[in-house]
């Protein structure tokens, strides 16, 4: 089985994030790390590899030169090889262009049985890339699985408003997982050393057969940005025996009750 895991390098999730004038995240303001949800997707793939040693795990990332470090970390965790899509024309690419490029990169890998991804990156929270990639590849898509099993088909559970439901799809397929998946394993010394010898295939748009002008493909553009307003102080109630009444009146006034 061949599994491709889509990973993304993002600004440190524990740092304060700011936007540039063109709407892009200012990536110079904090350390760059693998998105936590991407690490959990890697762990799902590696757990399959633990069960079946013939499983091949390939990590795929689209990003600047610094993203190589994230790909290398994934290799130290146990992935077999990596693909890094690197092209200056992709700076500030929106979801539409990103999905097309990622799908072409998956096709270039060839013979893929399962594409795994997190359901939404922490820097954008769009949550649409896996579905768009599946559409480009013409594959079934299972969204936001809380748990999955991989055999001749992939099965899992999805949360709904009233509970959960079981879903399944024949392979090949695209699957996105939620943060309910197991936390990623830590790279060991052996894994870190072996990662230095593993292959990372760096590809450009021309390698993928994509015209850098993306003819006929619309692009969303951010026209303006605004800083998040400062938080206002909360309302304090002094309980003089009527605290419950004051709280109820407040909730009614705010239309929360």
């Amino acid at each position: 089985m061949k599994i491709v895991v889509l990973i993304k390098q993002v600004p440190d999730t524990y740092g304060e994030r700011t936007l540039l004038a063109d709407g892009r995240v200012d990536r110079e303001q904090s350390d760059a790390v693998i998105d936590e949800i991407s690490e959990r997707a890697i762990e799902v793939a590696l757990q399959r590899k633990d069960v079946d040693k013939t499983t091949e795990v390939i990590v795929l990332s689209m990003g600047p030169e610094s993203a190589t470090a994230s790909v290398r970390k994934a290799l130290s965790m146990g992935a077999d090889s990596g693909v890094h899509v690197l092209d200056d024309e992709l700076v500030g690419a929106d979801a539409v262009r990103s999905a097309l490029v990622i799908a072409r990169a998956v096709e270039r890998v060839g013979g893929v049985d399962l594409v795994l991804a997190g359901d939404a990156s922490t820097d954008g929270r769009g949550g649409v890339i896996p579905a768009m990639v599946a559409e480009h590849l013409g594959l079934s898509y299972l969204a936001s699985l809380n748990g999955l099993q991989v055999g001749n088909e992939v099965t899992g559970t999805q949360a709904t408003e009233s509970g959960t439901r079981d879903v399944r799809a024949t392979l090949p397929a695209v699957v996105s997982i939620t943060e309910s998946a197991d936390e990623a394993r830590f790279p060991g010394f052996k894994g870190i050393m072996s990662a230095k010898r593993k292959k990372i295939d760096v590809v450009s748009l021309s390698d993928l057969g994509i015209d850098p002008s993306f003819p006929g493909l619309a692009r969303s553009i951010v026209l303006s940005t605004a800083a998040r307003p400062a938080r206002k102080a909360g309302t304090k109630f002094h309980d003089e025996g009527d605290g419950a009444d004051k709280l109820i009146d407040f909730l009614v006034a705010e239309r929360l009750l």
Side-chain angles (χ1 to χ4, degrees), residues 8-254:
K8 187 176 184 182
Q9 186 183 69
V10 298
D12 191 345
T13 52
Y14 293 100
E16 184 67 26
R17 299 176 184 181
T18 57
L19 297 178
L20 300 173
D22 60 2
R24 291 182 293 127
V25 176
D26 187 350
R27 300 183 183 274
E28 301 298 325
Q29 296 299 312
S30 60
D31 295 331
V33 298
I34 302 180
D35 199 349
E36 181 183 352
I37 193 68
S38 294
E39 289 189 333
R40 291 176 186 264
I42 296 170
E43 178 62 27
V44 170
L46 294 180
Q47 288 179 4
R48 172 63 186 179
K49 185 177 177 68
D50 291 340
V51 174
D52 180 4
K53 299 300 182 183
T54 64
T55 299
E56 181 182 2
V57 178
I58 304 163
V59 292
L60 190 161
S61 182
M62 187 186 94
E65 287 187 18
S66 62
T68 298
S70 293
V71 175
R72 191 69 68 184
K73 180 180 179 182
L75 298 182
S76 70
M77 292 168 62
D80 297 290
S81 62
V83 178
H84 180 188
V85 182
L86 175 64
D87 198 300
D88 290 341
E89 295 296 331
L90 292 172
V91 174
D94 60 4
V96 173
R97 297 189 177 194
S98 297
L100 172 63
V101 172
I102 292 171
R104 291 287 178 85
V106 172
E107 290 175 336
R108 189 174 189 272
V109 171
V112 177
D113 298 293
L114 180 63
V115 179
L116 277 174
D119 58 348
S121 64
T122 57
D123 62 341
R125 290 293 183 187
V128 296
I129 292 293
M132 296 171 77
V133 169
E135 180 69 17
H136 281 297
L137 296 175
L139 299 179
S140 300
Y141 173 52
L142 298 181
S144 303
L145 296 192
N146 291 328
L148 72 143
Q149 298 79 42
V150 183
N152 295 326
E153 60 181 8
V154 58
T155 62
T157 59
Q158 292 174 329
T160 68
E161 293 182 356
S162 57
T164 61
R165 63 185 172 196
D166 296 329
V167 294
R168 65 182 64 243
T170 56
L171 298 178
V174 178
V175 172
S176 66
I177 55 100
T178 69
E179 292 182 350
S180 67
D182 291 340
E183 290 187 9
R185 62 192 67 185
F186 287 102
F189 178 76
K190 182 179 179 180
I192 294 173
M193 296 305 295
S194 64
K196 297 179 180 180
R197 301 188 299 272
K198 294 179 179 178
K199 179 183 178 182
I200 298 179
D201 189 14
V202 181
V203 298
S204 63
L205 289 179
S206 61
D207 294 326
L208 299 176
I210 297 176
D211 185 337
S213 66
F214 291 91
L217 192 62
R219 178 180 181 180
S220 59
I221 299 175
V222 175
L223 299 179
S224 63
T225 62
R228 181 175 59 191
R231 291 185 177 181
K232 298 180 180 179
T235 301
K236 292 184 179 180
F237 296 106
H238 297 283
D239 189 1
E240 298 176 349
D242 58 351
D245 293 334
K246 289 180 178 178
L247 178 58
I248 292 173
D249 290 341
F250 173 78
L251 293 176
V252 171
E254 296 294 325

